[in-house]
Amino acid sequence: MIPDDPRSPKIVLGVDGSEPARPALEWAAAEVRRTQRPLDIVFALPMPLLVMSEGPTRPSATEQLRSHGEEVLAQAAARVRDLAPDARVRTFLEMDDPASALLERSGHEDLLVVGSRGLGALRVAVTGSTAVRLAARAHCPVVVVPAEWSRTDRPGRIVVGVDGSEVSRPALRFAFGRAREDGVPLVVVHSWEMVTPFAPEAMIASGWTPPEEMLEERSAEMISTMFAELGEETEGVDVSVLRTRVSPVEALAAEGEKSDMVVVGSRGRGGIRGLFLGSVSQGVLHRSTVPVVVLPHHAEDPEDTPWAGGGH
């Protein structure tokens, strides 16, 4: 371990030793090379919480479990150093569930990286997942790297979803900063679905036509306002805007297939309500084949954080 200043911006990587988690490790190693940030690697042993007469307690992990955790951490650190020889790496074995352990190790200036293992719809609806819980509760950006992701043959562009809300503003700022640093194009996606009390086909047959021109104008005005708020942060970026009536999840997933990453905001709806109602960010996490960066709803001040410019 290297004694870095714990207050300095860092990357925090969650590992479990599985093959599906390997792409997240490789993405984190590439981010270490890009930013020169230190890397904290966390392996969590979620020991069950027992309710005793004297109060709740967690049993101690067996020596075998601890040995396994230390081995996973050692292998992960060695792999990172293979990919990023100058990496400053620390490892942590935590007796806690993965999401809580990663949240405890991260601050609002950091970047959290995890794999998407266990993001099946039933699993998320019933028990949640590390990635979804982090996206809802973190105070810093959370990068979720799918198991099928590979760095080879990437087209070199970034996609960000916006809706004009306060939630999407940090996402747009992050996406512009990252696109500028990487020298890649940025695609800003705004989509809407028109909800009517009657079947759209029946309304169209009766002579009603969707107000496409009005919706386009409002979309253009909203995006123009968001760009103006960023000011000089939009300069130096090749940016295009995609407006569509398909669902936000479908639009972002489709554009993501032709990109390096997808950036979205999080409404931070943790707990049971968030798990069952879902959100665009959760939908994109399920569908995306490229890394998804979820910008936190709970950030202290996005304009003052080092990741507001893309990650430095």
Side-chain angles (χ1 to χ4, degrees):
M1 297 185 187
I2 295 178
D4 295 305
D5 183 349
R7 296 167 298 179
S8 64
K10 61 184 179 297
I11 298 167
V12 181
L13 169 67
V15 298
D16 63 7
S18 69
E19 190 60 31
R22 181 176 293 273
L25 185 150
E26 294 180 353
W27 193 96
E31 192 70 1
V32 167
R33 290 200 308 270
R34 192 183 76 87
T35 65
Q36 300 301 305
R37 285 190 181 191
L39 174 67
D40 285 358
I41 306 177
V42 179
F43 181 89
L45 283 171
M47 302 304 295
L49 186 65
L50 303 179
V51 180
M52 312 293 287
S53 58
E54 61 272 20
T57 184
R58 293 186 187 275
S60 299
T62 65
E63 187 60 35
Q64 184 177 8
L65 285 174
R66 286 181 173 275
S67 178
H68 170 69
E70 294 289 358
E71 179 63 22
V72 169
L73 288 169
Q75 291 179 0
R79 178 56 178 161
V80 167
R81 291 189 177 100
D82 285 343
L83 298 170
D86 296 329
R88 294 169 289 163
V89 181
R90 302 188 302 178
T91 60
F92 298 91
L93 180 63
E94 302 288 355
M95 302 296 114
D96 205 346
D97 70 88
S100 297
L102 290 167
L103 289 169
E104 183 67 23
R105 282 286 167 194
S106 62
H108 81 282
E109 294 188 339
D110 299 331
L111 190 71
L112 272 170
V113 183
V114 292
S116 61
R117 187 184 186 197
L119 280 176
L122 179 61
R123 176 179 171 84
V124 171
V126 176
T127 64
S129 73
T130 298
V132 171
R133 289 177 62 194
L134 288 174
R137 296 168 56 194
H139 291 260
C140 65
V142 177
V143 184
V144 182
V145 184
E148 63 269 31
W149 175 80
S150 171
R151 293 196 63 84
T152 59
D153 301 324
R154 300 312 311 168
R157 75 173 190 162
I158 293 171
V159 174
V160 59
V162 299
D163 61 6
S165 68
E166 289 301 319
V167 173
S168 64
R169 281 168 166 74
L172 185 63
R173 177 176 289 109
F174 181 99
F176 262 110
R178 184 63 183 249
R180 186 188 311 105
E181 290 178 3
D182 291 355
V184 299
L186 173 65
V187 180
V188 180
V189 176
H190 178 225
S191 61
W192 62 85
E193 293 179 278
M194 188 175 302
V195 180
T196 68
F198 307 102
E201 296 82 0
M203 296 181 68
I204 292 173
S206 67
W208 177 84
T209 57
E212 297 287 353
E213 184 174 340
M214 179 192 71
L215 294 173
E216 287 281 348
E217 289 178 355
R218 289 187 177 180
S219 175
E221 181 180 351
M222 178 269 289
I223 292 175
S224 178
T225 298
M226 295 185 73
F227 283 11
E229 290 173 350
L230 292 180
E232 295 180 355
E233 295 180 60
T234 63
E235 296 178 1
V237 177
D238 178 8
V239 59
S240 59
V241 177
L242 172 65
R243 299 184 181 89
T244 174
R245 285 185 58 193
V246 303
S247 75
V249 172
E250 290 182 14
L252 290 168
E255 289 301 310
E257 292 179 358
K258 302 174 284 185
S259 307
D260 287 325
M261 70 168 58
V262 176
V263 185
V264 294
S266 169
R267 296 193 181 276
R269 297 186 304 184
I272 297 299
R273 181 171 181 264
L275 291 176
F276 281 102
L277 290 183
S279 68
V280 171
S281 56
Q282 286 190 27
V284 173
L285 287 177
H286 292 304
R287 294 278 300 274
S288 181
T289 58
V290 300
V292 177
V293 184
V294 183
L295 270 292
H297 175 67
H298 303 295
E300 296 182 16
D301 188 346
E303 294 185 5
D304 292 337
T305 55
W307 44 261
H312 279 294

